Amino acid sequence: MTGSPRRRPRALVAAAAALTLTLTACAGGGADAHGDGGAGSTTPLSELEAVDSPRTVTGQTTAELADAEIDPVEEGPTQTLPATVTSHDQGGAKKVTVKDTDRVVAMDLSGSLAATIYGLGLGDSLVGRDQSTTFPGAKDLPLVTSGGHSVNAEALLTLEPTLVITDGSIGPRDVVEQLRDAGVTVVFVENEASLDGAAQLAEDVAAVYGVPETGEKLKQQIADEITATKKEVAELAPDAKGDKVRMIFLYIRGNSGVYYLFGDESGADDLIDGLGGIDVASEQGWKGQRPMTDEAITSANPDLIFVMTGGLESAGGVDQLLQDKPALALTTAGKNKRFVDMADGDILSFGPRSAAVLEALARAVYAPEGSG
């Protein structure tokens, strides 16, 4: 890796729902993988030295959370139940009354719901998890989803949940209907894959649990942490447009031949904006996710490509990926082998750790050699 020092995620749910039957597990392996330089560190961003020219850095970097734990904003908040909330089902919004939160399953494509519940101090209520919920404290819960993020109805019903919270990003749909027929309360929450959406999700999930004041605390904490982190990242990122790193997010499942570019309103665009980079997918006018084609990736010509660690491993690593996808090798990122990977269950999980994810990615992008 080279570079001299210089001082200085709404629509994802909707688009991803269409992909859930074709994609394999997002949070499988690779959570502990490292590239040429790990980017987990406790050194404050304000004390890091950014490379002089982040667009020309070479080599792979793994972005790692300095602390993967989720610290609750309050321990075991007192609930006021029953709570009547709006459920945003496919058939439209409707009122649902929640009476029992003793046994809860929260499931979505990115693991944001479970993370938010932990952030509210209500993690003990969870009895099952989706594949993307991999943070400490929750990763040992029984799985209710299988390959492709499909809900396993039998596994879910065996847990005897009293409440299921979801956002509609994983299915099949008839499984949810089975739950309702079995008398399980189901609440669909709106889950915008963005930094702002992470804060709003805290308020919405708190309402389901009957802890609105705790939700306001977590909402404010998430917003404040994101704002503070963005300011620190801005000190590392170049000011001139011509010096800003051209970034793109590539979803890979090499063993299934799946390669998707994430564009505007995918969640990845919000991260790139927070990093002070240029989201070339949005620049190209791409919405949501689209299959990667040779023409698309070469016309985008990113300086840096974000990937999930498990996804990169499924493609055999950087060298094998570039060999199998020659068009990628023609891009600036490909020529410099400039990939930043992060654990599958972290990188697009918008929730209480959003600021920490942004910080880890900033270290990997702007100070890859001095952040360990």
Side-chain angles (χ1 to χ4, degrees):
M1 195 175 303
T2 62
S4 57
R6 175 181 65 84
R7 297 186 182 277
R8 283 243 0 136
R10 168 183 60 209
L12 176 61
V13 168
L19 300 177
T20 52
L21 297 181
T22 62
L23 307 185
T24 56
C26 253
D32 298 321
H34 297 270
D36 295 333
S41 173
T42 56
T43 305
L45 283 180
S46 58
E47 296 179 14
L48 291 177
E49 289 189 350
V51 294
D52 183 58
S53 179
R55 293 190 65 184
T56 61
V57 173
T58 61
Q60 175 193 351
T61 306
T62 297
E64 301 174 275
L65 294 172
D67 184 0
E69 297 277 357
I70 296 177
D71 295 322
V73 71
E74 196 175 315
E75 292 287 353
T78 301
Q79 299 174 248
T80 301
L81 296 174
T84 299
V85 296
T86 300
S87 179
H88 300 272
D89 202 344
Q90 200 172 42
K94 63 180 181 179
K95 296 295 183 180
V96 173
T97 298
V98 177
K99 300 178 181 179
D100 188 342
T101 62
D102 287 343
R103 300 183 62 81
V104 180
V105 173
M107 52 189 191
D108 66 295
L109 197 65
S110 63
S112 300
L113 288 172
T116 300
I117 291 169
Y118 264 76
L120 291 168
L122 296 162
D124 288 345
S125 68
L126 293 175
V127 295
R129 68 177 179 92
D130 53 56
Q131 288 177 254
S132 295
T133 298
T134 57
F135 54 84
K139 64 181 180 181
D140 293 329
L141 289 171
L143 275 171
V144 298
T145 55
S146 56
H149 295 279
S150 297
V151 180
N152 184 320
E154 182 178 355
L156 207 163
L157 288 170
T158 298
L159 297 175
E160 299 181 345
T162 56
L163 171 65
V164 170
I165 307 174
T166 186
D167 60 5
S169 61
I170 55 179
R173 202 76 190 177
D174 59 357
V175 171
V176 177
E177 298 303 325
Q178 289 181 43
L179 294 174
R180 286 174 169 161
D181 292 342
V184 179
T185 301
V186 179
V187 176
F188 284 83
V189 296
E190 292 186 310
N191 185 8
E192 178 181 308
S194 69
L195 298 173
D196 288 340
Q200 182 59 47
L201 188 64
E203 180 180 296
D204 294 343
V205 173
V208 176
Y209 272 87
V211 290
E213 292 183 359
T214 307
E216 283 298 325
K217 288 181 183 179
L218 183 58
K219 179 180 181 180
Q220 192 61 54
Q221 176 179 292
I222 292 172
D224 289 347
E225 289 176 350
I226 290 171
T227 297
T229 302
K230 279 184 173 181
K231 289 181 179 178
E232 289 188 310
V233 173
E235 293 298 314
L236 293 173
D239 294 323
K241 184 176 181 180
D243 295 331
K244 291 183 178 294
V245 184
R246 296 174 55 79
M247 309 174 184
I248 203 167
F249 185 96
L250 176 62
Y251 182 94
I252 306 170
R253 284 297 173 262
N255 46 8
S256 301
V258 174
Y259 300 86
Y260 277 86
L261 297 170
F262 280 27
D264 193 31
E265 298 183 350
S266 71
D269 57 324
D270 210 39
L271 284 179
I272 291 173
D273 181 67
L275 290 168
I278 295 174
D279 178 26
V280 294
S282 296
E283 182 183 69
Q284 297 283 319
W286 302 338
K287 296 282 187 180
Q289 297 96 345
R290 58 178 290 169
M292 186 191 80
T293 63
D294 291 350
E295 181 181 3
I297 193 64
T298 54
S299 64
N301 191 27
D303 302 317
L304 179 151
I305 298 174
F306 289 113
V307 292
M308 293 178 175
T309 303
L312 186 60
E313 289 179 347
S314 75
V318 171
D319 289 339
Q320 189 63 50
L321 173 63
L322 296 177
Q323 181 177 321
D324 292 342
K325 296 293 179 181
L328 274 175
L330 296 176
T331 66
T332 301
K335 292 173 183 176
N336 289 332
K337 298 184 179 181
R338 189 64 182 124
F339 289 78
V340 170
D341 66 286
M342 192 173 196
D344 301 31
D346 295 342
I347 190 167
L348 287 180
S349 179
F350 292 95
R353 299 183 300 170
S354 290
V357 169
L358 193 64
E359 179 178 332
L361 291 173
R363 295 176 188 278
V365 172
Y366 297 117
E369 293 182 337
S371 57

